Amino acid sequence: MSVSPAAPASVSAPASASAPTQAELLDFVRRAAADAGLIASLPLDPEGRTWVRLDGPGGSEAWLIGWPPGTGTGWHDHADSVGAFMTASGELKENALAVRLPTDGWTTLELTEGVDRERRLTAGQGRAFGRHHVHEVLNESTDRHAISVHAYYPPLPRIRRYSRAGRIMRLEQVERPEDWQ
Protein backbone atom coordinates (compact mmCIF):
# COMPACT_ATOMS: atom_id res chain seq x y z
CA MET A 1 0.00 0.00 0.00
CA SER A 2 1.21 3.48 -0.72
CA VAL A 3 -0.33 6.75 0.28
CA SER A 4 0.43 9.98 -1.51
CA PRO A 5 -1.97 12.90 -0.99
CA ALA A 6 -2.67 15.38 -3.76
CA ALA A 7 -1.10 18.20 -1.78
CA PRO A 8 2.17 17.55 0.06
CA ALA A 9 2.06 17.82 3.84
CA SER A 10 3.77 20.89 5.18
CA VAL A 11 6.56 20.98 7.74
CA SER A 12 7.74 24.57 8.05
CA ALA A 13 10.72 24.45 5.72
CA PRO A 14 12.66 27.70 5.66
CA ALA A 15 12.55 29.47 2.31
CA SER A 16 15.84 29.27 0.48
CA ALA A 17 16.99 31.23 -2.55
CA SER A 18 19.59 28.59 -3.41
CA ALA A 19 19.79 24.82 -3.45
CA PRO A 20 19.57 23.32 0.04
CA THR A 21 22.79 21.85 1.41
CA GLN A 22 23.12 18.40 2.97
CA ALA A 23 23.15 20.11 6.38
CA GLU A 24 19.89 21.95 5.59
CA LEU A 25 18.27 18.71 4.42
CA LEU A 26 19.42 17.00 7.61
CA ASP A 27 18.01 19.85 9.70
CA PHE A 28 14.68 19.56 7.85
CA VAL A 29 14.36 15.78 8.35
CA ARG A 30 15.34 16.20 12.02
CA ARG A 31 12.57 18.77 12.59
CA ALA A 32 10.01 16.72 10.65
CA ALA A 33 10.91 13.52 12.55
CA ALA A 34 10.36 15.38 15.83
CA ASP A 35 6.85 16.51 14.77
CA ALA A 36 4.67 14.03 16.70
CA GLY A 37 1.49 15.10 14.89
CA LEU A 38 3.06 14.53 11.47
CA ILE A 39 4.44 11.13 12.46
CA ALA A 40 1.08 10.04 13.91
CA SER A 41 -0.70 11.08 10.68
CA LEU A 42 1.05 8.43 8.57
CA PRO A 43 -1.22 5.45 7.89
CA LEU A 44 0.67 2.21 8.50
CA ASP A 45 0.13 -1.02 6.58
CA PRO A 46 1.13 -4.37 8.14
CA GLU A 47 2.68 -5.64 4.90
CA GLY A 48 3.92 -2.83 2.68
CA ARG A 49 5.67 0.48 3.06
CA THR A 50 3.51 3.59 3.11
CA TRP A 51 4.56 7.10 2.28
CA VAL A 52 3.39 10.69 2.13
CA ARG A 53 5.15 13.41 0.18
CA LEU A 54 6.20 16.47 2.20
CA ASP A 55 7.16 20.03 1.24
CA GLY A 56 10.94 20.01 1.55
CA PRO A 57 13.20 23.08 1.78
CA GLY A 58 14.33 24.95 -1.33
CA GLY A 59 12.42 22.81 -3.83
CA SER A 60 13.70 19.52 -2.44
CA GLU A 61 11.72 16.29 -2.58
CA ALA A 62 10.79 14.93 0.86
CA TRP A 63 8.93 11.85 2.10
CA LEU A 64 7.53 10.47 5.34
CA ILE A 65 7.86 6.66 5.10
CA GLY A 66 6.41 3.84 7.20
CA TRP A 67 8.33 0.56 7.30
CA PRO A 68 6.51 -2.60 8.42
CA PRO A 69 8.59 -5.23 10.24
CA GLY A 70 11.00 -7.04 7.93
CA THR A 71 10.88 -4.58 5.01
CA GLY A 72 13.64 -2.75 3.18
CA THR A 73 14.60 -0.91 0.04
CA GLY A 74 17.16 -3.21 -1.53
CA TRP A 75 20.45 -1.74 -2.77
CA HIS A 76 19.98 1.55 -4.64
CA ASP A 77 21.32 5.05 -5.16
CA HIS A 78 19.72 8.45 -5.73
CA ALA A 79 21.72 9.38 -8.82
CA ASP A 80 22.77 13.05 -8.79
CA SER A 81 20.79 14.02 -5.69
CA VAL A 82 22.21 14.70 -2.24
CA GLY A 83 20.00 13.71 0.65
CA ALA A 84 19.34 13.08 4.30
CA PHE A 85 17.12 10.81 6.34
CA MET A 86 16.15 10.52 9.98
CA THR A 87 14.43 7.75 11.92
CA ALA A 88 11.35 9.12 13.70
CA SER A 89 10.30 5.90 15.46
CA GLY A 90 11.58 2.34 15.65
CA GLU A 91 15.01 1.44 14.31
CA LEU A 92 16.41 1.28 10.80
CA LYS A 93 19.62 -0.31 9.60
CA GLU A 94 21.58 1.21 6.74
CA ASN A 95 24.09 -0.87 4.81
CA ALA A 96 26.19 1.38 2.58
CA LEU A 97 29.28 1.35 0.41
CA ALA A 98 32.21 3.53 1.47
CA VAL A 99 33.23 3.97 -2.19
CA ARG A 100 31.64 5.65 -5.16
CA LEU A 101 30.60 3.35 -7.98
CA PRO A 102 30.99 4.49 -11.58
CA THR A 103 27.75 6.20 -12.55
CA ASP A 104 27.31 4.73 -16.03
CA GLY A 105 28.70 2.18 -18.46
CA TRP A 106 28.61 -0.97 -16.32
CA THR A 107 26.23 -3.73 -15.33
CA THR A 108 28.42 -5.88 -13.04
CA LEU A 109 31.21 -4.89 -10.64
CA GLU A 110 33.30 -6.80 -8.13
CA LEU A 111 33.65 -4.83 -4.91
CA THR A 112 36.89 -4.90 -2.96
CA GLU A 113 36.95 -5.97 0.66
CA GLY A 114 36.45 -3.34 3.33
CA VAL A 115 33.95 -1.15 1.45
CA ASP A 116 30.91 -2.09 3.55
CA ARG A 117 29.54 0.20 6.25
CA GLU A 118 26.65 -0.51 8.63
CA ARG A 119 24.70 1.96 10.76
CA ARG A 120 21.83 1.38 13.13
CA LEU A 121 19.62 4.43 13.42
CA THR A 122 17.12 4.63 16.27
CA ALA A 123 14.53 7.38 16.76
CA GLY A 124 16.21 10.78 16.47
CA GLN A 125 19.23 9.45 14.56
CA GLY A 126 19.92 10.07 10.91
CA ARG A 127 22.49 11.09 8.36
CA ALA A 128 23.14 13.13 5.26
CA PHE A 129 24.76 11.72 2.13
CA GLY A 130 26.23 12.90 -1.15
CA ARG A 131 25.56 12.16 -4.79
CA HIS A 132 25.65 8.55 -5.98
CA HIS A 133 25.52 7.17 -2.41
CA VAL A 134 24.77 3.43 -2.71
CA HIS A 135 22.90 1.89 0.21
CA GLU A 136 19.99 -0.19 1.43
CA VAL A 137 17.72 0.66 4.34
CA LEU A 138 16.04 -2.06 6.41
CA ASN A 139 13.60 -2.45 9.28
CA GLU A 140 14.88 -5.69 10.79
CA SER A 141 12.34 -5.71 13.61
CA THR A 142 10.05 -8.72 13.65
CA ASP A 143 7.20 -6.92 15.42
CA ARG A 144 7.52 -3.12 15.19
CA HIS A 145 7.04 -0.53 12.47
CA ALA A 146 9.68 2.11 11.88
CA ILE A 147 8.96 5.58 10.51
CA SER A 148 11.48 7.88 8.84
CA VAL A 149 11.72 11.17 6.99
CA HIS A 150 13.81 11.56 3.80
CA ALA A 151 14.74 14.60 1.70
CA TYR A 152 16.61 14.87 -1.62
CA TYR A 153 17.89 17.70 -3.78
CA PRO A 154 17.53 18.03 -6.63
CA PRO A 155 14.26 16.09 -6.68
CA LEU A 156 15.10 12.52 -7.63
CA PRO A 157 15.84 12.30 -11.37
CA ARG A 158 16.17 8.51 -11.12
CA ILE A 159 16.97 5.69 -8.76
CA ARG A 160 19.33 2.92 -9.81
CA ARG A 161 18.53 -0.46 -8.21
CA TYR A 162 21.19 -3.09 -7.67
CA SER A 163 21.39 -6.72 -6.65
CA ARG A 164 24.26 -7.98 -4.58
CA ALA A 165 25.72 -11.45 -4.06
CA GLY A 166 28.82 -11.29 -1.85
CA ARG A 167 31.23 -8.89 -3.52
CA ILE A 168 29.37 -8.85 -6.87
CA MET A 169 27.10 -5.83 -7.46
CA ARG A 170 24.80 -5.79 -10.49
CA LEU A 171 22.79 -2.91 -11.91
CA GLU A 172 19.28 -4.33 -12.26
CA GLN A 173 16.96 -1.44 -13.04
CA VAL A 174 16.78 2.32 -13.47
CA GLU A 175 13.57 3.91 -12.18
CA ARG A 176 12.30 7.36 -13.08
CA PRO A 177 9.95 9.55 -10.97
CA GLU A 178 6.86 8.33 -12.81
CA ASP A 179 7.64 4.80 -11.54
CA TRP A 180 7.16 5.72 -7.85
CA GLN A 181 4.90 8.79 -7.72
Side-chain angles (χ1 to χ4, degrees):
M1 171 187 195
S2 65
V3 177
S4 184
S10 181
V11 173
S12 52
S16 176
S18 61
T21 65
Q22 290 178 40
E24 289 168 330
L25 293 174
L26 186 60
D27 180 60
F28 170 80
V29 298
R30 179 176 290 115
R31 287 183 292 107
D35 183 335
L38 177 67
I39 302 311
S41 74
L42 180 66
L44 299 177
D45 183 286
E47 296 179 15
R49 285 190 294 156
T50 54
W51 55 87
V52 174
R53 187 157 184 173
L54 305 174
D55 284 323
S60 64
E61 180 173 344
W63 299 91
L64 176 63
I65 301 176
W67 306 76
T71 59
T73 60
W75 286 94
H76 67 283
D77 72 17
H78 305 99
D80 294 317
S81 297
V82 298
F85 71 100
M86 178 79 51
T87 303
S89 70
E91 178 179 281
L92 293 172
K93 175 184 174 187
E94 180 195 33
N95 294 318
L97 299 180
V99 296
R100 254 182 101 164
L101 299 181
T103 57
D104 293 304
W106 66 277
T107 56
T108 303
L109 289 175
E110 183 173 357
L111 302 171
T112 59
E113 290 189 34
V115 299
D116 291 300
R117 299 294 180 265
E118 177 184 309
R119 291 177 180 83
R120 295 206 174 266
L121 303 166
T122 59
Q125 294 181 315
R127 69 181 308 264
F129 53 86
R131 291 169 167 71
H132 308 290
H133 175 68
V134 177
H135 69 164
E136 67 175 347
V137 180
L138 309 159
N139 177 5
E140 293 185 321
S141 173
T142 59
D143 62 355
R144 186 168 181 214
H145 267 79
I147 298 175
S148 58
V149 181
H150 302 246
Y152 312 98
Y153 190 86
L156 296 173
R158 64 185 176 198
I159 293 177
R160 288 182 288 247
R161 298 217 175 260
Y162 306 97
S163 63
R164 183 165 179 192
R167 292 179 14 191
I168 304 299
M169 179 80 60
R170 285 187 176 82
L171 175 63
E172 297 291 343
Q173 179 179 3
V174 177
E175 296 177 1
R176 307 242 177 249
E178 56 272 14
D179 297 325
W180 64 82
Q181 294 183 10

